[in-house]
PDB file of all heavy atoms in Angstrom:
ATOM      1  N   MET A   1      63.916 136.682  99.291  1.00 61.00           N
ATOM      2  CA  MET A   1      64.851 136.121  98.414  1.00 61.00           C
ATOM      3  C   MET A   1      64.155 135.464  97.247  1.00 61.00           C
ATOM      4  O   MET A   1      64.524 135.532  96.097  1.00 61.00           O
ATOM      5  CB  MET A   1      65.718 135.110  99.151  1.00 61.00           C
ATOM      6  CG  MET A   1      67.163 135.147  98.880  1.00 61.00           C
ATOM      7  SD  MET A   1      67.875 136.621  98.431  1.00 61.00           S
ATOM      8  CE  MET A   1      69.495 136.091  98.245  1.00 61.00           C
ATOM      9  N   HIS A   2      62.987 134.889  97.581  1.00 77.00           N
ATOM     10  CA  HIS A   2      62.202 134.192  96.595  1.00 77.00           C
ATOM     11  C   HIS A   2      61.651 135.192  95.527  1.00 77.00           C
ATOM     12  O   HIS A   2      61.660 134.968  94.311  1.00 77.00           O
ATOM     13  CB  HIS A   2      61.077 133.375  97.163  1.00 77.00           C
ATOM     14  CG  HIS A   2      60.270 132.589  96.175  1.00 77.00           C
ATOM     15  ND1 HIS A   2      60.688 131.488  95.443  1.00 77.00           N
ATOM     16  CD2 HIS A   2      58.997 132.799  95.746  1.00 77.00           C
ATOM     17  CE1 HIS A   2      59.787 131.047  94.718  1.00 77.00           C
ATOM     18  NE2 HIS A   2      58.704 131.826  94.773  1.00 77.00           N
ATOM     19  N   ILE A   3      61.177 136.296  95.998  1.00 75.00           N
ATOM     20  CA  ILE A   3      60.597 137.328  95.116  1.00 75.00           C
ATOM     21  C   ILE A   3      61.734 137.894  94.198  1.00 75.00           C
ATOM     22  O   ILE A   3      61.541 138.057  93.000  1.00 75.00           O
ATOM     23  CB  ILE A   3      60.026 138.476  95.918  1.00 75.00           C
ATOM     24  CG1 ILE A   3      58.818 138.018  96.669  1.00 75.00           C
ATOM     25  CG2 ILE A   3      59.655 139.688  95.111  1.00 75.00           C
ATOM     26  CD1 ILE A   3      58.274 138.993  97.649  1.00 75.00           C
ATOM     27  N   ARG A   4      62.908 138.103  94.723  1.00 76.00           N
ATOM     28  CA  ARG A   4      63.980 138.596  93.974  1.00 76.00           C
ATOM     29  C   ARG A   4      64.465 137.563  92.805  1.00 76.00           C
ATOM     30  O   ARG A   4      64.605 137.931  91.687  1.00 76.00           O
ATOM     31  CB  ARG A   4      65.240 138.900  94.773  1.00 76.00           C
ATOM     32  CG  ARG A   4      66.405 139.469  94.011  1.00 76.00           C
ATOM     33  CD  ARG A   4      67.561 139.704  94.943  1.00 76.00           C
ATOM     34  NE  ARG A   4      68.685 140.336  94.288  1.00 76.00           N
ATOM     35  CZ  ARG A   4      69.487 139.660  93.496  1.00 76.00           C
ATOM     36  NH1 ARG A   4      69.398 138.423  93.256  1.00 76.00           N
ATOM     37  NH2 ARG A   4      70.515 140.354  92.874  1.00 76.00           N
ATOM     38  N   SER A   5      64.509 136.318  93.220  1.00 83.00           N
ATOM     39  CA  SER A   5      64.900 135.244  92.236  1.00 83.00           C
ATOM     40  C   SER A   5      63.836 135.135  91.075  1.00 83.00           C
ATOM     41  O   SER A   5      64.119 134.905  90.016  1.00 83.00           O
ATOM     42  CB  SER A   5      65.119 133.967  92.937  1.00 83.00           C
ATOM     43  OG  SER A   5      63.932 133.482  93.483  1.00 83.00           O
ATOM     44  N   SER A   6      62.488 135.318  91.504  1.00 80.00           N
ATOM     45  CA  SER A   6      61.448 135.273  90.541  1.00 80.00           C
ATOM     46  C   SER A   6      61.640 136.461  89.531  1.00 80.00           C
ATOM     47  O   SER A   6      61.445 136.212  88.307  1.00 80.00           O
ATOM     48  CB  SER A   6      60.060 135.318  91.197  1.00 80.00           C
ATOM     49  OG  SER A   6      59.050 135.516  90.260  1.00 80.00           O
ATOM     50  N   LEU A   7      61.909 137.574  90.006  1.00 82.00           N
ATOM     51  CA  LEU A   7      62.072 138.743  89.158  1.00 82.00           C
ATOM     52  C   LEU A   7      63.310 138.554  88.279  1.00 82.00           C
ATOM     53  O   LEU A   7      63.272 138.923  87.086  1.00 82.00           O
ATOM     54  CB  LEU A   7      62.224 140.054  89.978  1.00 82.00           C
ATOM     55  CG  LEU A   7      60.995 140.548  90.591  1.00 82.00           C
ATOM     56  CD1 LEU A   7      61.322 141.798  91.481  1.00 82.00           C
ATOM     57  CD2 LEU A   7      59.980 140.873  89.544  1.00 82.00           C
ATOM     58  N   VAL A   8      64.438 138.002  88.814  1.00 86.00           N
ATOM     59  CA  VAL A   8      65.590 137.735  87.987  1.00 86.00           C
ATOM     60  C   VAL A   8      65.308 136.792  86.894  1.00 86.00           C
ATOM     61  O   VAL A   8      65.710 137.028  85.666  1.00 86.00           O
ATOM     62  CB  VAL A   8      66.761 137.313  88.903  1.00 86.00           C
ATOM     63  CG1 VAL A   8      67.937 136.780  88.089  1.00 86.00           C
ATOM     64  CG2 VAL A   8      67.208 138.400  89.808  1.00 86.00           C
ATOM     65  N   VAL A   9      64.614 135.703  87.226  1.00 88.00           N
ATOM     66  CA  VAL A   9      64.332 134.709  86.236  1.00 88.00           C
ATOM     67  C   VAL A   9      63.440 135.274  85.064  1.00 88.00           C
ATOM     68  O   VAL A   9      63.695 135.030  83.847  1.00 88.00           O
ATOM     69  CB  VAL A   9      63.649 133.455  86.930  1.00 88.00           C
ATOM     70  CG1 VAL A   9      63.064 132.476  85.856  1.00 88.00           C
ATOM     71  CG2 VAL A   9      64.667 132.707  87.714  1.00 88.00           C
ATOM     72  N   SER A  10      62.398 135.925  85.426  1.00 86.00           N
ATOM     73  CA  SER A  10      61.524 136.547  84.431  1.00 86.00           C
ATOM     74  C   SER A  10      62.270 137.640  83.587  1.00 86.00           C
ATOM     75  O   SER A  10      62.024 137.698  82.396  1.00 86.00           O
ATOM     76  CB  SER A  10      60.282 137.098  85.009  1.00 86.00           C
ATOM     77  OG  SER A  10      60.552 138.234  85.815  1.00 86.00           O
ATOM     78  N   ASN A  11      63.103 138.398  84.171  1.00 88.00           N
ATOM     79  CA  ASN A  11      63.917 139.389  83.503  1.00 88.00           C
ATOM     80  C   ASN A  11      64.866 138.766  82.481  1.00 88.00           C
ATOM     81  O   ASN A  11      65.020 139.171  81.323  1.00 88.00           O
ATOM     82  CB  ASN A  11      64.658 140.319  84.374  1.00 88.00           C
ATOM     83  CG  ASN A  11      65.283 141.437  83.751  1.00 88.00           C
ATOM     84  OD1 ASN A  11      64.797 142.007  82.788  1.00 88.00           O
ATOM     85  ND2 ASN A  11      66.421 141.848  84.298  1.00 88.00           N
ATOM     86  N   ASN A  12      65.469 137.624  82.935  1.00 92.00           N
ATOM     87  CA  ASN A  12      66.410 136.913  82.008  1.00 92.00           C
ATOM     88  C   ASN A  12      65.737 136.273  80.900  1.00 92.00           C
ATOM     89  O   ASN A  12      66.173 136.273  79.728  1.00 92.00           O
ATOM     90  CB  ASN A  12      67.211 135.906  82.807  1.00 92.00           C
ATOM     91  CG  ASN A  12      68.232 136.571  83.755  1.00 92.00           C
ATOM     92  OD1 ASN A  12      68.715 137.667  83.486  1.00 92.00           O
ATOM     93  ND2 ASN A  12      68.718 135.769  84.727  1.00 92.00           N
ATOM     94  N   ALA A  13      64.501 135.706  81.087  1.00 91.00           N
ATOM     95  CA  ALA A  13      63.791 135.063  80.041  1.00 91.00           C
ATOM     96  C   ALA A  13      63.375 136.129  79.033  1.00 91.00           C
ATOM     97  O   ALA A  13      63.487 135.817  77.829  1.00 91.00           O
ATOM     98  CB  ALA A  13      62.507 134.447  80.631  1.00 91.00           C
ATOM     99  N   VAL A  14      62.941 137.329  79.442  1.00 92.00           N
ATOM    100  CA  VAL A  14      62.562 138.383  78.479  1.00 92.00           C
ATOM    101  C   VAL A  14      63.814 138.785  77.636  1.00 92.00           C
ATOM    102  O   VAL A  14      63.803 138.890  76.435  1.00 92.00           O
ATOM    103  CB  VAL A  14      61.995 139.616  79.194  1.00 92.00           C
ATOM    104  CG1 VAL A  14      61.907 140.734  78.321  1.00 92.00           C
ATOM    105  CG2 VAL A  14      60.658 139.235  79.786  1.00 92.00           C
ATOM    106  N   ALA A  15      64.959 138.923  78.365  1.00 93.00           N
ATOM    107  CA  ALA A  15      66.162 139.359  77.692  1.00 93.00           C
ATOM    108  C   ALA A  15      66.663 138.343  76.653  1.00 93.00           C
ATOM    109  O   ALA A  15      67.056 138.774  75.487  1.00 93.00           O
ATOM    110  CB  ALA A  15      67.303 139.616  78.712  1.00 93.00           C
ATOM    111  N   VAL A  16      66.586 137.047  76.899  1.00 93.00           N
ATOM    112  CA  VAL A  16      67.060 136.007  76.071  1.00 93.00           C
ATOM    113  C   VAL A  16      66.133 136.026  74.889  1.00 93.00           C
ATOM    114  O   VAL A  16      66.596 135.916  73.667  1.00 93.00           O
ATOM    115  CB  VAL A  16      66.993 134.562  76.778  1.00 93.00           C
ATOM    116  CG1 VAL A  16      67.028 133.490  75.746  1.00 93.00           C
ATOM    117  CG2 VAL A  16      68.101 134.472  77.787  1.00 93.00           C
ATOM    118  N   HIS A  17      64.841 136.086  75.002  1.00 91.00           N
ATOM    119  CA  HIS A  17      63.890 136.010  73.838  1.00 91.00           C
ATOM    120  C   HIS A  17      64.029 137.261  72.971  1.00 91.00           C
ATOM    121  O   HIS A  17      63.948 137.223  71.760  1.00 91.00           O
ATOM    122  CB  HIS A  17      62.417 135.922  74.309  1.00 91.00           C
ATOM    123  CG  HIS A  17      62.196 134.528  74.943  1.00 91.00           C
ATOM    124  ND1 HIS A  17      62.390 133.299  74.196  1.00 91.00           N
ATOM    125  CD2 HIS A  17      61.726 134.204  76.150  1.00 91.00           C
ATOM    126  CE1 HIS A  17      62.081 132.313  75.021  1.00 91.00           C
ATOM    127  NE2 HIS A  17      61.656 132.790  76.134  1.00 91.00           N
ATOM    128  N   GLN A  18      64.303 138.407  73.655  1.00 92.00           N
ATOM    129  CA  GLN A  18      64.485 139.696  72.925  1.00 92.00           C
ATOM    130  C   GLN A  18      65.824 139.656  72.130  1.00 92.00           C
ATOM    131  O   GLN A  18      65.829 140.078  70.927  1.00 92.00           O
ATOM    132  CB  GLN A  18      64.543 140.810  73.983  1.00 92.00           C
ATOM    133  CG  GLN A  18      64.113 142.096  73.327  1.00 92.00           C
ATOM    134  CD  GLN A  18      63.902 143.124  74.504  1.00 92.00           C
ATOM    135  OE1 GLN A  18      64.444 143.030  75.575  1.00 92.00           O
ATOM    136  NE2 GLN A  18      63.019 144.127  74.300  1.00 92.00           N
ATOM    137  N   ASP A  19      66.882 139.147  72.721  1.00 92.00           N
ATOM    138  CA  ASP A  19      68.097 139.062  71.952  1.00 92.00           C
ATOM    139  C   ASP A  19      67.941 138.113  70.811  1.00 92.00           C
ATOM    140  O   ASP A  19      68.505 138.360  69.716  1.00 92.00           O
ATOM    141  CB  ASP A  19      69.231 138.521  72.876  1.00 92.00           C
ATOM    142  CG  ASP A  19      69.675 139.577  73.937  1.00 92.00           C
ATOM    143  OD1 ASP A  19      69.321 140.811  73.745  1.00 92.00           O
ATOM    144  OD2 ASP A  19      70.319 139.205  74.912  1.00 92.00           O
ATOM    145  N   ARG A  20      67.318 136.941  70.966  1.00 91.00           N
ATOM    146  CA  ARG A  20      67.081 136.031  69.904  1.00 91.00           C
ATOM    147  C   ARG A  20      66.314 136.619  68.736  1.00 91.00           C
ATOM    148  O   ARG A  20      66.656 136.462  67.560  1.00 91.00           O
ATOM    149  CB  ARG A  20      66.482 134.739  70.390  1.00 91.00           C
ATOM    150  CG  ARG A  20      66.293 133.622  69.298  1.00 91.00           C
ATOM    151  CD  ARG A  20      65.622 132.425  69.818  1.00 91.00           C
ATOM    152  NE  ARG A  20      66.401 131.860  70.970  1.00 91.00           N
ATOM    153  CZ  ARG A  20      65.726 131.251  71.968  1.00 91.00           C
ATOM    154  NH1 ARG A  20      64.450 131.207  72.020  1.00 91.00           N
ATOM    155  NH2 ARG A  20      66.485 130.844  72.982  1.00 91.00           N
ATOM    156  N   LEU A  21      65.324 137.388  69.082  1.00 90.00           N
ATOM    157  CA  LEU A  21      64.420 138.033  68.011  1.00 90.00           C
ATOM    158  C   LEU A  21      65.216 139.092  67.299  1.00 90.00           C
ATOM    159  O   LEU A  21      65.065 139.210  66.098  1.00 90.00           O
ATOM    160  CB  LEU A  21      63.172 138.566  68.733  1.00 90.00           C
ATOM    161  CG  LEU A  21      62.115 139.136  67.737  1.00 90.00           C
ATOM    162  CD1 LEU A  21      61.570 137.917  66.887  1.00 90.00           C
ATOM    163  CD2 LEU A  21      60.953 139.671  68.540  1.00 90.00           C
ATOM    164  N   HIS A  22      66.094 139.867  68.041  1.00 89.00           N
ATOM    165  CA  HIS A  22      66.818 140.881  67.391  1.00 89.00           C
ATOM    166  C   HIS A  22      67.866 140.324  66.532  1.00 89.00           C
ATOM    167  O   HIS A  22      68.234 140.794  65.423  1.00 89.00           O
ATOM    168  CB  HIS A  22      67.480 141.790  68.482  1.00 89.00           C
ATOM    169  CG  HIS A  22      66.547 142.805  69.040  1.00 89.00           C
ATOM    170  ND1 HIS A  22      66.038 143.936  68.428  1.00 89.00           N
ATOM    171  CD2 HIS A  22      65.976 142.863  70.295  1.00 89.00           C
ATOM    172  CE1 HIS A  22      65.300 144.582  69.155  1.00 89.00           C
ATOM    173  NE2 HIS A  22      65.204 143.950  70.291  1.00 89.00           N
ATOM    174  N   ALA A  23      68.489 139.157  66.894  1.00 88.00           N
ATOM    175  CA  ALA A  23      69.432 138.519  66.078  1.00 88.00           C
ATOM    176  C   ALA A  23      68.875 137.981  64.728  1.00 88.00           C
ATOM    177  O   ALA A  23      69.495 138.090  63.765  1.00 88.00           O
ATOM    178  CB  ALA A  23      70.093 137.375  66.893  1.00 88.00           C
ATOM    179  N   LEU A  24      67.623 137.486  64.875  1.00 87.00           N
ATOM    180  CA  LEU A  24      66.949 137.000  63.697  1.00 87.00           C
ATOM    181  C   LEU A  24      66.455 138.058  62.765  1.00 87.00           C
ATOM    182  O   LEU A  24      66.247 137.832  61.501  1.00 87.00           O
ATOM    183  CB  LEU A  24      65.846 135.998  64.111  1.00 87.00           C
ATOM    184  CG  LEU A  24      66.170 134.708  64.794  1.00 87.00           C
ATOM    185  CD1 LEU A  24      65.005 133.999  65.253  1.00 87.00           C
ATOM    186  CD2 LEU A  24      66.873 133.766  63.733  1.00 87.00           C
ATOM    187  N   THR A  25      66.221 139.246  63.322  1.00 87.00           N
ATOM    188  CA  THR A  25      65.602 140.347  62.447  1.00 87.00           C
ATOM    189  C   THR A  25      66.597 141.490  62.383  1.00 87.00           C
ATOM    190  O   THR A  25      66.177 142.645  62.114  1.00 87.00           O
ATOM    191  CB  THR A  25      64.326 140.806  63.099  1.00 87.00           C
ATOM    192  OG1 THR A  25      64.511 141.258  64.463  1.00 87.00           O
ATOM    193  CG2 THR A  25      63.277 139.661  63.113  1.00 87.00           C
ATOM    194  N   ARG A  26      67.885 141.291  62.482  1.00 84.00           N
ATOM    195  CA  ARG A  26      68.846 142.333  62.415  1.00 84.00           C
ATOM    196  C   ARG A  26      68.842 143.008  61.006  1.00 84.00           C
ATOM    197  O   ARG A  26      68.451 142.417  60.037  1.00 84.00           O
ATOM    198  CB  ARG A  26      70.249 141.870  62.800  1.00 84.00           C
ATOM    199  CG  ARG A  26      70.827 140.937  61.840  1.00 84.00           C
ATOM    200  CD  ARG A  26      72.176 140.404  62.361  1.00 84.00           C
ATOM    201  NE  ARG A  26      72.734 139.446  61.396  1.00 84.00           N
ATOM    202  CZ  ARG A  26      72.483 138.128  61.424  1.00 84.00           C
ATOM    203  NH1 ARG A  26      71.753 137.643  62.385  1.00 84.00           N
ATOM    204  NH2 ARG A  26      73.003 137.378  60.561  1.00 84.00           N
ATOM    205  N   SER A  27      69.172 144.215  60.953  1.00 82.00           N
ATOM    206  CA  SER A  27      69.169 144.943  59.679  1.00 82.00           C
ATOM    207  C   SER A  27      70.212 144.402  58.746  1.00 82.00           C
ATOM    208  O   SER A  27      71.342 144.014  59.154  1.00 82.00           O
ATOM    209  CB  SER A  27      69.318 146.478  59.889  1.00 82.00           C
ATOM    210  OG  SER A  27      70.581 146.708  60.411  1.00 82.00           O
ATOM    211  N   GLY A  28      69.883 144.435  57.487  1.00 81.00           N
ATOM    212  CA  GLY A  28      70.805 143.874  56.473  1.00 81.00           C
ATOM    213  C   GLY A  28      70.739 142.437  56.366  1.00 81.00           C
ATOM    214  O   GLY A  28      71.429 141.802  55.525  1.00 81.00           O
ATOM    215  N   HIS A  29      69.978 141.708  57.140  1.00 77.00           N
ATOM    216  CA  HIS A  29      69.897 140.272  57.101  1.00 77.00           C
ATOM    217  C   HIS A  29      68.572 139.893  56.485  1.00 77.00           C
ATOM    218  O   HIS A  29      67.486 140.293  56.949  1.00 77.00           O
ATOM    219  CB  HIS A  29      70.049 139.663  58.472  1.00 77.00           C
ATOM    220  CG  HIS A  29      69.820 138.243  58.614  1.00 77.00           C
ATOM    221  ND1 HIS A  29      70.749 137.309  58.162  1.00 77.00           N
ATOM    222  CD2 HIS A  29      68.789 137.468  59.088  1.00 77.00           C
ATOM    223  CE1 HIS A  29      70.255 136.100  58.313  1.00 77.00           C
ATOM    224  NE2 HIS A  29      69.108 136.180  58.876  1.00 77.00           N
ATOM    225  N   VAL A  30      68.601 139.057  55.451  1.00 77.00           N
ATOM    226  CA  VAL A  30      67.417 138.578  54.854  1.00 77.00           C
ATOM    227  C   VAL A  30      67.202 137.198  55.498  1.00 77.00           C
ATOM    228  O   VAL A  30      67.987 136.268  55.286  1.00 77.00           O
ATOM    229  CB  VAL A  30      67.562 138.532  53.362  1.00 77.00           C
ATOM    230  CG1 VAL A  30      66.243 137.880  52.710  1.00 77.00           C
ATOM    231  CG2 VAL A  30      67.841 139.835  52.784  1.00 77.00           C
ATOM    232  N   PRO A  31      66.094 136.935  56.219  1.00 77.00           N
ATOM    233  CA  PRO A  31      65.877 135.670  56.809  1.00 77.00           C
ATOM    234  C   PRO A  31      65.537 134.575  55.758  1.00 77.00           C
ATOM    235  O   PRO A  31      64.904 134.833  54.782  1.00 77.00           O
ATOM    236  CB  PRO A  31      64.738 135.893  57.701  1.00 77.00           C
ATOM    237  CG  PRO A  31      64.104 137.129  57.233  1.00 77.00           C
ATOM    238  CD  PRO A  31      65.060 137.882  56.529  1.00 77.00           C
ATOM    239  N   ALA A  32      66.071 133.481  56.041  1.00 78.00           N
ATOM    240  CA  ALA A  32      65.781 132.279  55.152  1.00 78.00           C
ATOM    241  C   ALA A  32      64.324 131.824  55.515  1.00 78.00           C
ATOM    242  O   ALA A  32      63.700 132.214  56.494  1.00 78.00           O
ATOM    243  CB  ALA A  32      66.810 131.193  55.378  1.00 78.00           C
ATOM    244  N   PHE A  33      63.869 130.876  54.666  1.00 79.00           N
ATOM    245  CA  PHE A  33      62.510 130.417  54.884  1.00 79.00           C
ATOM    246  C   PHE A  33      62.383 129.714  56.214  1.00 79.00           C
ATOM    247  O   PHE A  33      61.375 129.872  56.893  1.00 79.00           O
ATOM    248  CB  PHE A  33      62.143 129.386  53.734  1.00 79.00           C
ATOM    249  CG  PHE A  33      60.867 128.766  53.908  1.00 79.00           C
ATOM    250  CD1 PHE A  33      59.662 129.584  53.618  1.00 79.00           C
ATOM    251  CD2 PHE A  33      60.597 127.519  54.368  1.00 79.00           C
ATOM    252  CE1 PHE A  33      58.413 129.066  53.701  1.00 79.00           C
ATOM    253  CE2 PHE A  33      59.333 126.929  54.431  1.00 79.00           C
ATOM    254  CZ  PHE A  33      58.250 127.752  54.163  1.00 79.00           C
ATOM    255  N   TYR A  34      63.351 128.879  56.671  1.00 78.00           N
ATOM    256  CA  TYR A  34      63.304 128.252  57.938  1.00 78.00           C
ATOM    257  C   TYR A  34      63.375 129.211  59.191  1.00 78.00           C
ATOM    258  O   TYR A  34      62.957 128.933  60.162  1.00 78.00           O
ATOM    259  CB  TYR A  34      64.265 127.056  58.056  1.00 78.00           C
ATOM    260  CG  TYR A  34      65.685 127.606  57.994  1.00 78.00           C
ATOM    261  CD1 TYR A  34      66.393 127.994  59.032  1.00 78.00           C
ATOM    262  CD2 TYR A  34      66.365 127.623  56.742  1.00 78.00           C
ATOM    263  CE1 TYR A  34      67.715 128.442  59.000  1.00 78.00           C
ATOM    264  CE2 TYR A  34      67.631 127.959  56.660  1.00 78.00           C
ATOM    265  CZ  TYR A  34      68.357 128.449  57.756  1.00 78.00           C
ATOM    266  OH  TYR A  34      69.637 128.803  57.641  1.00 78.00           O
ATOM    267  N   ASP A  35      63.948 130.385  58.884  1.00 83.00           N
ATOM    268  CA  ASP A  35      64.082 131.399  59.943  1.00 83.00           C
ATOM    269  C   ASP A  35      62.641 132.078  60.249  1.00 83.00           C
ATOM    270  O   ASP A  35      62.499 132.550  61.430  1.00 83.00           O
ATOM    271  CB  ASP A  35      65.003 132.530  59.542  1.00 83.00           C
ATOM    272  CG  ASP A  35      66.383 132.155  59.620  1.00 83.00           C
ATOM    273  OD1 ASP A  35      66.728 131.212  60.356  1.00 83.00           O
ATOM    274  OD2 ASP A  35      67.277 132.824  59.013  1.00 83.00           O
ATOM    275  N   LEU A  36      61.738 131.997  59.376  1.00 89.00           N
ATOM    276  CA  LEU A  36      60.433 132.492  59.658  1.00 89.00           C
ATOM    277  C   LEU A  36      59.720 131.863  60.778  1.00 89.00           C
ATOM    278  O   LEU A  36      59.089 132.549  61.646  1.00 89.00           O
ATOM    279  CB  LEU A  36      59.545 132.510  58.384  1.00 89.00           C
ATOM    280  CG  LEU A  36      60.111 133.338  57.194  1.00 89.00           C
ATOM    281  CD1 LEU A  36      59.161 133.187  55.993  1.00 89.00           C
ATOM    282  CD2 LEU A  36      60.217 134.791  57.593  1.00 89.00           C
ATOM    283  N   ASP A  37      59.827 130.534  60.894  1.00 89.00           N
ATOM    284  CA  ASP A  37      59.306 129.809  62.052  1.00 89.00           C
ATOM    285  C   ASP A  37      59.950 130.233  63.291  1.00 89.00           C
ATOM    286  O   ASP A  37      59.281 130.364  64.344  1.00 89.00           O
ATOM    287  CB  ASP A  37      59.281 128.340  61.778  1.00 89.00           C
ATOM    288  CG  ASP A  37      58.273 127.823  60.769  1.00 89.00           C
ATOM    289  OD1 ASP A  37      57.311 128.534  60.583  1.00 89.00           O
ATOM    290  OD2 ASP A  37      58.519 126.818  60.242  1.00 89.00           O
ATOM    291  N   ARG A  38      61.243 130.321  63.273  1.00 89.00           N
ATOM    292  CA  ARG A  38      62.009 130.771  64.400  1.00 89.00           C
ATOM    293  C   ARG A  38      61.654 132.148  64.931  1.00 89.00           C
ATOM    294  O   ARG A  38      61.607 132.395  66.122  1.00 89.00           O
ATOM    295  CB  ARG A  38      63.527 130.585  64.159  1.00 89.00           C
ATOM    296  CG  ARG A  38      63.960 129.122  64.038  1.00 89.00           C
ATOM    297  CD  ARG A  38      65.406 128.956  63.617  1.00 89.00           C
ATOM    298  NE  ARG A  38      66.333 129.682  64.458  1.00 89.00           N
ATOM    299  CZ  ARG A  38      67.559 129.881  64.150  1.00 89.00           C
ATOM    300  NH1 ARG A  38      68.134 129.440  63.016  1.00 89.00           N
ATOM    301  NH2 ARG A  38      68.313 130.574  64.930  1.00 89.00           N
ATOM    302  N   ILE A  39      61.478 133.019  63.960  1.00 89.00           N
ATOM    303  CA  ILE A  39      61.094 134.410  64.282  1.00 89.00           C
ATOM    304  C   ILE A  39      59.764 134.440  64.913  1.00 89.00           C
ATOM    305  O   ILE A  39      59.537 135.090  66.002  1.00 89.00           O
ATOM    306  CB  ILE A  39      61.172 135.313  62.989  1.00 89.00           C
ATOM    307  CG1 ILE A  39      62.593 135.557  62.516  1.00 89.00           C
ATOM    308  CG2 ILE A  39      60.446 136.700  63.289  1.00 89.00           C
ATOM    309  CD1 ILE A  39      62.726 136.190  61.186  1.00 89.00           C
TER     310      ILE A  39
END
């Protein structure tokens, strides 16, 4: 059970960071100056 929970946590962390990065770099969106640090 511990192994499974470890995989779920790491998979969720990757998905969250990936979604955030895609949201900040979506097409048609020009990032603001403060968005560069977030990206």
Side-chain angles (χ1 to χ4, degrees):
M1 219 35 174
H2 182 69
I3 293 172
R4 183 182 183 281
S5 63
S6 172
L7 288 175
V8 168
V9 167
S10 66
N11 187 37
N12 287 341
V14 168
V16 165
H17 293 302
Q18 208 168 25
D19 289 344
R20 186 179 302 145
L21 190 61
H22 284 287
L24 291 170
T25 60
R26 65 185 180 271
S27 62
H29 173 73
V30 177
F33 179 74
Y34 60 88
D35 283 341
L36 297 178
D37 287 336
R38 290 173 55 193
I39 291 170

